[in-house]
């Protein structure tokens, strides 16, 4: 006879099972109803996959010349090969993931390295007629043999490391914590500057290491344990941007029956990258694309999003092997990529190239730190050239960061040497001193024409006189008394040559660049009126040219000026402008008095062919026709018989004004050779100006004067422009 359960226990079990069922019921209700959308989304995310379709980055074009609509690219896209390796497969050519490595046939990574080294050592060869790649060792010179042998050894080291030997655990770790980690003395744990990394192959007990590092680095022990696990080293990038001559040979070796199995772990993949076919040409305008694919400096940065376009996607369901099987509708979904826009610059390739050549030649000739030249079409505001020296090759932008070490003694000697150029950067790092191979380092990336304001000096006098005429305060024949230096508020206004000629006309004062004449004109106008003209010419605010980093210069409000500042602003001191601001203001003296908006981006071309064209725009009228004609005539005389006579171009009438401005250190004016900024603004031909040119040199060391340097450079550039533009001479040259 079987024993029966007491009624109380039966009731307990009944309620217990009812409770269990209730708990599961509530949980199922939560999963299937309340949290349905969340888990459905997670399931879809795990089951669906996307593959990116890259967009083509837009090109940057210039016109081949100003009279043609034919375009040529300054920035385009190229596809080369990159080589990466799978060390596991190279060391085990018949690699089977289901078998232990100890059971698999070994490969010969040394043979792979020796086979590839003679090819990869030429991967970036730039010889125009092709690289002489020698596979036969008997043809190698001793130098070639040494170089190839060293390359092969390094390649073999990469190929033989089949396990991960460096796993970074934490970065930017405080020095005190780094010390505590070091004191633990854990095998396989290393300190590198401000980071902690682990060699998994040297770790004796993962649990112990993970637990102790967890407390010091404020990380979960399980996460650290996972990161420091032993694992194979797969898919290692070896070299990028391999020239076709080399990548084709490697592809042929991979198809060769003798090497096919040996090279199974060697993979060549397409690599899309930005290419600048004209190299240094207009590089400060164009900028470059960094290794992460982001535009830096110039047009590449300002129009980065427009140039990038929008990537597309292929999406659909995937199986366990992550292969697409279908989308919700039964087929793969495709969201097409949208290519980036093309940007067309106003730059004339021929003018830009020749101006850059002349400028670099003149920077070397005058031993200047740097130089800039602008060429503008005065009637439209189009920028035909925007040149810098020194420049850089955007294809090799990283070279600007390369530096060499100098001794502490040399650094100290330079610091004490009064003749040493203190503008040359010296980098100190942990007691060591370095300089850039290119002298100025990444400073060459900057477009100084828009980013670096300067005091323009006497070039400003042309605008001051034009304002005085336009406001009816003076005429070219107005007389003023040039009887000596002018004492104003404990400040003495002198003429640069210390010559004072008594009663003098305004036109003579301009062509002889007299500061005393400017004192007379500015005092006649007064602070409020003179300030108004400076503002009307665009000083004190950016031009809004479509490039990042533009400066507006410095122009204080007229109510803060004293009498000295009123005068000095008239001859270009105490006010700072960018070369772009100055050339656009000077262009108004060549086009009838209109301040034009600068045009650098002539149009954007969208992938569908639609064009956004930038048309010329007058910002404002600054001077009337009478002031324009009279100022232009005086600037012609300045070149024919004044301080600007070295700007004369045989057979042509050109107009212009020289400028030499002081620079300062610690609030004190510097004096002597190598301390000034020399410049010249000019245009031609005078009867119908077709171009305006501004030349600026920073710290010339052969002569401090714009009349001896920038004016001469203007003559060379103007001579080229007359020929290039097919402008007939004004008169025969005897």
């Amino acid at each position: 006879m079987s024993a029966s359960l007491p009624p109380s226990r039966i009731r307990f079990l009944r309620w217990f099972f009812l409770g269990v069922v209730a708990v599961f019921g509530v949980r199922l209700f939560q999963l299937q109803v309340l949290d349905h959308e969340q888990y459905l989304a997670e399931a879809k995310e795990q089951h669906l996959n996307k593959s990116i379709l890259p967009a083509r980055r837009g090109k940057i074009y210039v016109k081949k010349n100003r009279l043609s609509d034919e375009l040529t690219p300054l920035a385009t896209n190229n596809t080369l090969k990159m080589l990466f390796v799978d060390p596991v497969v190279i060391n085990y050519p018949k690699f089977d993931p289901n078998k232990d490595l100890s059971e698999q046939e070994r490969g010969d990574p040394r043979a792979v390295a020796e086979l590839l080294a003679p090819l990869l050592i030429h991967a970036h060869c730039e010889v125009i007629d092709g690289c002489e790649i020698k596979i036969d060792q008997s043809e190698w010179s001793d130098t070639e043999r040494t170089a190839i042998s060293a390359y092969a050894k390094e390649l073999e080291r990469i190929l033989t490391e089949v396990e991960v030997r460096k796993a970074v655990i934490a970065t930017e770790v405080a020095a005190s914590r780094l010390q505590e980690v070091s004191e633990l003395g854990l095998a396989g744990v290393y300190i590198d500057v401000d980071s902690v990394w682990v060699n998994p192959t040297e770790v004796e007990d993962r649990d112990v290491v993970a637990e102790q590092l967890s407390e010091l680095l404020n990380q979960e022990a399980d996460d650290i344990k996972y990161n420091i696990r032993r694992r194979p080293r797969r898919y290692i990038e070896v070299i990028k941007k391999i020239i076709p001559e080399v990548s084709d040979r490697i592809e042929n070796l991979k198809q060769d029956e003798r090497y096919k199995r040996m090279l199974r772990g060697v993979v060549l993949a397409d690599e899309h990258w930005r290419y600048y076919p004209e190299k240094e040409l207009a590089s400060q305008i164009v900028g470059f694309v960094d290794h992460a694919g982001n535009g830096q400096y110039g047009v590449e940065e300002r129009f980065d999003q427009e140039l990038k376009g929008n990537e597309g996607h292929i999406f659909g369901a995937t199986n366990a092997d992550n292969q697409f099987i279908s989308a919700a509708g039964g087929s793969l979904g495709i969201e097409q990529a949208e290519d980036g826009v093309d940007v067309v610059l106003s730059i004339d390739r021929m003018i830009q190239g020749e101006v850059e050549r002349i400028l670099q030649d003149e920077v070397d000739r005058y031993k200047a730190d740097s130089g800039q030249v602008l060429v503008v079409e005065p009637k439209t505001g189009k920028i035909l050239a925007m040149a810098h020296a020194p420049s850089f090759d955007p294809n090799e932008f990283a070279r600007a960061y390369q530096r060499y070490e100098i001794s502490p003694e040399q650094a100290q000697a330079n610091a004490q040497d009064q003749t040493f150029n203190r503008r040359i950067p010296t980098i100190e790092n942990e007691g060591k001193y370095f300089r850039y191979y290119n002298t100025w380092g990444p400073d060459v990336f900057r477009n100084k024409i828009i980013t670096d304001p300067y005091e323009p000096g006497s070039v400003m006098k042309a605008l001051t006189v034009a304002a005085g005429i336009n406001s009816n305060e003076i005429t070219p024949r107005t007389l003023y008394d040039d009887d000596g230096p002018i004492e104003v508020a404990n400040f003495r206004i002198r003429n640069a040559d210390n010559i004072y000629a008594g009663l003098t006309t305004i036109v003579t004062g301009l062509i002889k660049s007299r500061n005393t004449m400017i004192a007379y004109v500015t005092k006649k106008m007064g602070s409020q009126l003179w300030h108004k003209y400076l503002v009307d010419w665009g000083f004190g605010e950016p031009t809004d040219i479509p490039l990042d980093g533009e400066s507006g210069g410095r122009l204080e409000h007229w109510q803060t000026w004293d009498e000295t500042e009123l005068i000095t602003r008239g001859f270009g001191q105490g006010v700072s402008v960018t070369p772009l601001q100055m050339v656009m203001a000077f262009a108004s003296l060549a086009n009838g008095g209109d301040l034009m908006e600068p045009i650098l981006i002539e149009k954007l071309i969208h992938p569908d062919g639609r064009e956004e064209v930038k048309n010329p725009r007058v910002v404002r009228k600054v001077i009337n026709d009478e002031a324009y004609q009279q100022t232009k005539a005086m600037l012609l005389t300045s070149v024919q018989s004044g301080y600007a006579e070295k700007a004369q171009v045989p057979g042509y009438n050109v107009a212009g004004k020289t400028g030499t401005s002081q620079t300062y250190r610690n609030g004190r004016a510097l004096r002597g050779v190598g301390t000034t900024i020399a410049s010249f603004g000019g245009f031609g031909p005078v009867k119908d100006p077709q171009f305006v040119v501004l030349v600026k040199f920073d710290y010339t060391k052969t002569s401090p004067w714009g009349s001896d340097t920038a004016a001469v450079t203007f003559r060379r550039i103007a001579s080229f422009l007359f020929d290039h533009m097919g402008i007939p001479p004004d008169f025969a040259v005897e």
Side-chain angles (χ1 to χ4, degrees), residues 492-617:
R492 178 169 287 186
I493 306 294
R494 294 188 177 93
N495 290 331
D497 57 8
N498 282 317
I499 294 175
Y500 304 92
L503 284 178
T504 307
T505 62
I506 296 296
V507 63
T508 300
L510 181 62
I511 67 176
K512 296 297 183 181
S513 198
R514 300 293 190 228
N515 291 338
T516 51
M517 179 271 293
I518 293 299
Y520 174 81
V521 175
T522 53
K523 285 195 287 185
K524 288 276 286 182
M525 284 192 292
S527 296
Q528 185 173 3
L529 182 59
W530 177 218
H531 181 271
K532 175 188 178 299
Y533 277 103
L534 290 171
V535 170
D536 284 350
W537 266 307
F539 300 129
E541 61 182 14
T543 68
D544 288 333
I545 190 172
L547 292 173
D548 289 341
E550 184 184 13
S551 170
R554 186 187 78 253
L555 176 63
E556 289 91 351
H557 194 271
W558 65 270
Q559 289 180 321
T560 68
W561 296 359
D562 59 24
E563 189 176 2
T564 303
E565 292 167 325
L566 164 66
I567 296 170
T568 58
R569 279 150 182 74
F571 52 76
Q573 291 184 12
V575 56
S576 68
V577 305
T578 65
L580 178 62
Q581 288 174 319
M582 179 52 73
V583 80
M584 298 312 297
F586 217 85
S588 72
L589 305 182
N591 66 14
D594 294 330
L595 179 70
M596 302 299 297
E597 181 181 14
I599 295 178
L600 178 64
I601 308 301
E602 196 160 285
K603 62 181 174 181
L604 302 178
I605 304 175
H606 291 265
D608 59 4
R610 179 171 53 89
E611 296 185 353
E612 291 182 59
V613 179
K614 179 68 175 178
N615 294 314
R617 185 178 76 88

Side-chain angles (χ1 to χ4, degrees), residues 362 366 678-679 695 697 700 702-714:
E362 300 286 77
Y366 300 128
S679 61
V695 179
F697 290 116
T700 53
T702 58
S703 168
W705 306 109
S707 56
D708 292 334
T709 56
V712 179
T713 305
F714 170 84

Side-chain angles (χ1 to χ4, degrees), residues 342-361:
D342 293 334
V343 178
V344 180
L345 306 180
S346 61
I347 298 298
D348 178 319
R349 177 184 174 277
M350 292 292 292
I351 295 177
Q352 180 77 23
E354 183 63 14
V355 168
E356 285 188 6
R357 186 190 68 79
I358 293 173
L359 178 60
Q360 184 61 64
D361 185 39

Side-chain angles (χ1 to χ4, degrees), residues 216 368 488 502 550 669:
L216 293 177
V488 181
E550 184 184 13

Side-chain angles (χ1 to χ4, degrees), residues 50 92 107 159 176 296 303 317 335 443 506 529 620 637:
K50 284 185 177 181
Y92 303 93
L159 300 180
S176 59
Q296 303 291 334
F303 290 88
E335 183 181 283
D443 183 65
I506 296 296
L529 182 59
R620 66 181 68 89
T637 306

